[in-house]
Amino acid sequence: MDPIYFFVIAVLIATGGISFISRKALHDVAQKPGNLQSIQTKLFIGVALVEVIPIVLVVFGFINLDQSTINPVTPLILVAIITVINGGHVFKTYLTLMGDADKQAKEKLRMLFMVCLPLLMAFPIIAGVATMTTTGS
């Protein structure tokens, strides 16, 4: 397997897990806006647990990146598709919950959503940068 695909698998695992955890956290905040701190704590612990395997995959990818022989366009497209699908699920959940929430819950949902976005985008950015640095020779 080409080392670039380590990044694609890392993105798949990380964005899938973070998407699931983020949607759960958004639902929890919509139900109990007063528990934002404990929900955020659970969110960060969950994200840390989900990111263990993707971090190992990224390290393997970087170690072997000079051995890559494929054109990086396909992996970049896969990373983009995976990110859009998982990010779309989080965004859809956010919009749905915002429509039914009161003013206090909307503020807390917005804050939590703005925390979830960078968490979700971290691995796709790493994968994109790593993939674009290869020559695909």
Side-chain angles (χ1 to χ4, degrees):
M1 176 168 67
D2 196 276
I4 290 179
Y5 286 105
F6 284 126
F7 296 105
V8 176
I9 296 167
V11 167
L12 180 65
I13 294 169
T15 59
I18 293 169
S19 172
F20 177 79
I21 293 167
S22 297
R23 287 181 283 145
K24 171 84 170 84
L26 287 168
H27 279 289
D28 290 349
V29 167
Q31 292 174 356
K32 300 176 186 172
N35 292 347
L36 180 63
Q37 289 180 346
S38 66
I39 293 168
Q40 278 184 329
T41 301
K42 290 177 187 175
L43 170 81
F44 289 129
I45 291 170
V47 167
L49 292 174
V50 164
E51 287 183 349
V52 170
I53 292 173
I55 287 171
V56 171
L57 289 170
V58 165
V59 169
F60 284 141
F62 276 119
I63 289 171
N64 299 312
L65 197 57
D66 59 338
Q67 299 171 8
S68 178
T69 59
I70 65 168
N71 187 340
V73 173
T74 303
L76 280 174
I77 291 171
L78 287 173
V79 166
I81 290 170
I82 292 167
T83 304
V84 167
I85 289 171
N86 287 315
H89 287 306
V90 175
F91 188 63
K92 180 182 173 191
T93 301
Y94 168 71
L95 290 178
T96 302
L97 294 172
M98 284 294 279
D100 300 334
D102 61 4
K103 186 176 180 180
Q104 178 191 12
K106 282 184 180 185
E107 180 183 330
K108 305 272 174 130
L109 281 169
R110 189 174 297 113
M111 287 173 27
L112 186 63
F113 180 69
M114 291 302 168
V115 168
C116 293
L117 276 182
L119 294 172
L120 189 69
M121 292 303 298
F123 277 93
I125 290 170
I126 292 168
V129 169
T131 303
M132 288 188 292
T133 61
T134 64
T135 58
S137 48

